Amino acid sequence: MRDAFIETLTELAAQDPRVMLITGDLGYGVLGAFAERFPDQFLNAGVAEQNMTAIACGMALSGWRVYTYSIANFPTLRCLEQVRNDICYHDCDVTIVAVGGGFSYGQLGMSHFATEDLAIMRALPNMRVVAPTEKWEAQDLLRDLAQAKGPAYLRIDKDAGGMARRAGERATLGKARRVRDGADVTIIATGAILREALIAAERLSTQGVDCRIEAMHTIKPLDEAAILSAAAETGGVVTLEEHNRVGGLKGAVAETLLSAGARVGFFRSIALDDMFPTVVGDQLYLRARYGMDAAAVEATVLSALSSGLPLGRLAESA
Amino acid sequence: MHSARSADTAELARRIRLHVVRMVNRGKSSHVGSALSIADIVAVLYGAVLNVDPADPHKPDRDRFLLSKGHAGAAVYAALAETGFFDPSLLAQHYQNGSVFSGHVSHKGVPGVELSTGALGHGLNVATGMALAATRARETWRAFALLSDGECDEGSTWEAAMFAAHHRLDNLVAVIDYNKLQSLASVEETLALEPFADKWRAFGWSVAEVDGHDHAQLHAAFARLPFAAERPSVILAHTTKGKGVSFMENQVAWHYRTPLGSDFDTAIAELEAAHA
């Protein structure tokens, strides 16, 4: 996804001389070509994320369109007050790009796990929060963000996703993408962990369970209509995210359902328990280890459907 | 020539102080000492130095002034009102319910304020970004940030200091309100800054030290900007917290205390008499 991001940003920088990419001393081998081609539009701020973020604010207030770039928590949590007070309060045209969503840097340990970022960024007024589920989606959404202006958080996964673009398909900022249609359950996923839902849905289909899948690449603004449709038209809702179960996609979907008074057959969340993982491993390993992989999705759906709670269409047709 | 301008800006500073004391009294708010401390600096900047236009607060080639020590916002609101950015009667809204005139300076709805601050260690950094933006766009305006000495405890301040020198931003000016008192005790007792000028020099800045209440010295320093080509400039303005009101001067208590009753009357009387 990282290469897809820089490829699209290169297009944007070529079109607009006020596009600025600021890295916090990261991106060796990734940003080099951009830096060489656009020396006036590239800056390495050094290992100083507070300053990087405030610099971005100062440039944006002076008419530039700025992208800050770093790994996981550094351009967000390390400088959260600069993000809040400088970028968001002043409604600056700054997109914060965090490479390393979720367990992307799973071997590096807890400091490099971005597993609270969605909740924290979502809580900031004016901030859009985007976690693409596919590499090509990252490109569509980056173009949309460039059009939309204002503060944004773009969470890039190491995982490139699991499904190529289908003919005519496009990801649109703020609108969920229906990846698969189905009536028994809707799995709503954000980030590249969506691939686990795709695998689970295939397995579940052989057991007679018909899964709808919504790619909820934009957490804020949230596509509430897609969530309410899922509640009304399918047996229940399962959220899936590579993130703490507190305050991220689960929270956003639950708030939507409860606020609208929606009747939902069941509601389940697959996410990281409220904890810091202490073992390391690659992204796929950690998903499995912490109960967030396709097997977990499959088991959760089956258990929900047979739990005796009000059932959806599966029960009606039985 | 400096003396005539100094007389003008000294009178502007006196009026800013009167506004500040009235605003703090009416709002039962704090930070009067910090606002009085910078009245002369702000008066010289708005009265004589900054290329700003109250009729067009967003003109693209304006100098940017950021009050990094946002808690002294009353002094900037007063300076903006006195120089025509908005009607001085609006200052009565400071700290009042439903008002946009927050204690820490805010840009929302207040013409002429570039940046909302209040958390320390932000203003110099944003000003540095602005100076870089002007440099990269080959524009000639300057960015000024007014910092408190206590604010130099913040690591982010030194991130900006290092960055600005590395990028040779000679269109960037930091002014330090070096009144040597923090919230609870002196700077030296809290986190010593000395040798302060040497620290800035070591970071690659060109430094001037002035009496921050002497208008002739302030005018002269600002007239020399930048102090060196391809270096950011810092003015260490030696000041007295609470300057202009005898019983507030150099007293830690007046960081948070509100002048009420006879304290208020005495303060106003002293500032009015300063005119004579």
Side-chain angles (χ1 to χ4, degrees), chain A residues 13-282:
Chain A
Q15 291 158 14
D16 182 351
R18 292 279 178 120
V19 164
M20 184 78 192
L21 172 61
I22 311 182
T23 175
D25 203 34
L26 283 162
Y28 185 80
V30 181
L31 307 181
F34 185 99
E36 270 184 36
R37 183 168 165 195
F38 306 106
D40 279 350
Q41 293 169 260
F42 176 80
L43 175 70
N44 183 354
V47 192
E49 292 81 10
Q50 295 181 78
N51 193 47
M52 172 175 76
T53 305
I55 294 273
C57 165
M59 295 199 81
L61 291 176
S62 311
W64 292 69
R65 319 189 61 186
V66 189
Y67 296 78
T68 61
Y69 179 97
S70 189
I71 283 181
N73 303 310
F74 309 145
T76 51
L77 304 195
R78 181 63 184 251
C79 49
L80 182 56
E81 195 178 75
Q82 281 77 10
V83 174
R84 176 181 183 267
N85 296 15
D86 301 347
I87 304 292
C88 290
Y89 191 56
H90 294 85
D91 211 8
C92 289
D93 197 5
V94 175
T95 299
I96 297 160
V97 181
V99 287
F103 297 131
S104 292
Y105 291 93
Q107 292 95 339
L108 298 187
M110 184 279 283
S111 65
H112 284 55
F113 298 162
T115 44
E116 304 85 32
D117 56 330
L118 296 176
I120 292 165
M121 292 295 108
R122 188 168 85 83
L124 297 173
N126 294 344
M127 181 66 95
R128 273 88 48 91
V129 178
V130 177
T133 68
E134 302 286 349
K135 182 175 161 176
W136 56 267
E137 235 185 29
Q139 300 188 299
D140 289 359
L141 295 166
L142 181 58
R143 288 193 192 96
D144 279 3
L145 285 172
Q147 289 294 316
K149 300 192 176 173
Y153 174 56
L154 180 62
R155 185 206 222 210
I156 299 287
D157 258 295
K158 183 173 268 183
D159 186 341
M163 231 173 117
R165 191 195 293 268
R166 293 174 288 208
E169 199 174 23
R170 192 192 185 289
T172 304
L173 184 67
K175 189 158 174 33
R177 185 172 58 88
R178 181 77 58 89
V179 175
R180 193 181 196 284
D181 216 348
D184 296 325
V185 58
T186 303
I187 303 167
I188 301 176
T190 197
I193 196 171
L194 173 81
R195 73 151 73 229
E196 306 293 342
L198 293 169
I199 298 165
E202 287 306 313
R203 291 182 195 157
L204 285 163
S205 74
T206 65
Q207 299 164 68
V209 179
D210 190 16
C211 294
R212 178 186 290 188
I213 298 178
E214 295 281 4
M216 196 62 78
H217 46 68
T218 308
I219 306 279
K220 190 181 173 189
L222 191 64
D223 186 347
E224 298 188 344
I227 294 164
L228 297 178
S229 298
E233 296 163 14
T234 70
V237 169
V238 176
T239 60
L240 173 63
E241 61 199 305
E242 201 163 298
H243 186 270
N244 191 312
R245 62 175 71 257
V246 177
L249 178 68
K250 174 196 178 187
V253 171
E255 286 164 20
T256 301
L257 292 170
L258 197 57
S259 298
R263 291 176 63 86
V264 56
F266 57 83
F267 180 71
R268 296 282 190 281
S269 143
I270 298 168
L272 179 65
D273 284 336
D274 185 18
M275 64 174 291
F276 295 111
T278 49
V279 303
V280 304
D282 65 30

Side-chain angles (χ1 to χ4, degrees), chain B residues 20-95:
Chain B
V20 162
V21 171
R22 290 189 176 115
M23 288 161 77
V24 173
N25 165 264
R26 199 183 297 111
K28 295 190 171 53
S29 58
S30 59
H31 301 120
V32 64
S34 303
L36 294 173
S37 185
I38 62 167
D40 297 294
I41 297 164
V42 169
V44 172
L45 282 167
Y46 278 97
V49 174
L50 297 174
N51 170 23
V52 289
D53 180 1
D56 184 10
H58 297 291
K59 70 169 184 163
D61 68 339
R62 71 192 184 280
D63 288 331
R64 272 65 162 178
F65 171 76
L66 311 184
L67 180 69
S68 198
K69 46 173 287 180
H71 54 286
V76 169
Y77 292 147
L80 290 168
E82 279 291 330
T83 54
F85 281 84
F86 52 84
D87 193 295
S89 68
L90 294 177
L91 296 175
Q93 296 179 13
H94 181 246
Y95 238 80

Side-chain angles (χ1 to χ4, degrees), chain B residues 1-13 215-216 219:
Chain B
M1 193 176 98
H2 274 318
S3 59
R5 293 168 79 204
S6 296
D8 293 344
T9 56
E11 171 57 16
L12 176 56
H215 286 244
H219 282 282

